[in-house]
Every structure is written in C-alpha cells, then in structure tokens.
C-alpha cells in the first residue's frame, strides 16, 4: 500500500519561511523521482519542484526559483520543500507526488502516486 503524507503547512506572513515534508511508505523510495505541485484557489494545479531518485538533481518552476529548495533523504523516505521569502501568491494546497518511470519531471500525468496535500497560507 503506497502512501504519501504531506505535513508542515500552516499560516504565515509574507517574507516568512516554511518547511514542508512528504513521508513515503509502501514503496522503495529511492526508485521514485519525486515532486511538489500546488493548487491555489481558483487555479489549476501547477508544478513547483522536482528531485531525482538518487542524485538529488532538482528542477523548479520559475515562480519559485531562488526561494524554494527541494531535498530528499532516501534513508528516511522523506522529501522536503524549504520555502523562503514566501509571498501571498504561494498560498495553495501543496501536494507531493512520486514517479517510478521515466517521464517529464514537471508533468502531472507522469506521476503515479499523490499525497492528500497540506495547506500553505501566506498573508500579506
């Protein structure tokens, strides 16, 4: 039973930092490329950040480059998203996703498993 569980969301003010967590179970974590997506109110879900299986290579949406950092600990089956200099437009439900097979790191349909999401709210 594959399960991805996000945590760490909350209510913060613009300029603050927050660290999100995604804990995976029921899979061999190092075999999966991982990613963060988010869905803001009234908008479609969009790509945020991705990290490769073992080397930890990352890719980011232009909107978060320089502010967000994805990382992972394969020994703990954990993926992180460090979010700094948060802006009101970062307000969204953040989802972690796992991809077993080759594909596009930013394409939602290429990911096999998804978490339930964690709410991040940034006030102005």
């Amino acid at each position: 039973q594959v399960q991805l569980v996000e945590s760490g969301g909350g209510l913060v003010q613009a300029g603050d930092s927050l660290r999100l967590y995604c804990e995976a179970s029921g899979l061999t974590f190092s075999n999966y490329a991982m990613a963060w997506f988010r869905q803001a109110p009234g908008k479609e879900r969009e790509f945020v950040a991705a990290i490769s299986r073992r080397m930890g290579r990352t890719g980011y949406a232009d909107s978060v480059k320089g502010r967000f950092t994805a990382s992972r600990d394969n020994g703990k089956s954990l993926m992180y998203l460090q979010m700094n200099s948060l802006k009101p437009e970062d307000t969204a439900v953040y989802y972690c996703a796992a991809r077993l097979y080759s594909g596009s790191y930013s394409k939602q349909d290429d990911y096999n498993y998804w978490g339930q999401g964690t709410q991040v709210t940034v006030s102005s």
Side-chain angles (χ1 to χ4, degrees):
Q1 186 87 4
V2 174
Q3 188 173 23
L4 304 177
V5 180
E6 303 95 336
S7 62
L11 174 62
V12 297
Q13 295 188 47
D16 285 354
S17 296
L18 206 58
R19 188 169 176 85
L20 303 184
Y21 305 80
C22 175
E23 184 174 9
S25 60
L27 49 71
T28 301
F29 189 63
S30 62
N31 285 344
Y32 288 79
M34 301 292 295
W36 291 97
F37 292 81
R38 68 186 182 187
Q39 187 167 23
K43 297 183 178 180
E44 296 183 356
R45 188 157 57 190
E46 65 178 357
F47 168 76
V48 177
I51 186 164
S52 66
R53 294 169 177 83
R54 296 176 180 86
M55 299 298 294
R57 300 185 301 271
T58 54
Y60 301 94
D62 288 342
S63 59
V64 306
K65 282 182 179 177
R67 299 189 298 121
F68 291 11
T69 303
S71 59
R72 67 190 293 166
D73 184 337
N74 285 345
K76 297 181 178 180
S77 296
L78 283 171
M79 178 180 63
Y80 311 89
L81 184 66
Q82 179 65 45
M83 305 184 295
N84 298 326
S85 301
L86 283 162
K87 304 174 180 179
E89 50 262 47
D90 295 319
T91 295
V93 177
Y94 284 71
Y95 300 89
C96 67
R99 174 170 56 85
L100 178 62
Y101 306 111
S102 297
S104 173
Y105 69 75
S106 63
K107 186 178 179 181
Q108 297 181 52
D109 289 348
D110 285 351
Y111 287 82
N112 307 103
Y113 301 104
W114 293 80
Q116 295 296 113
T118 185
Q119 176 71 48
V120 173
T121 302
V122 184
S123 63
S124 59

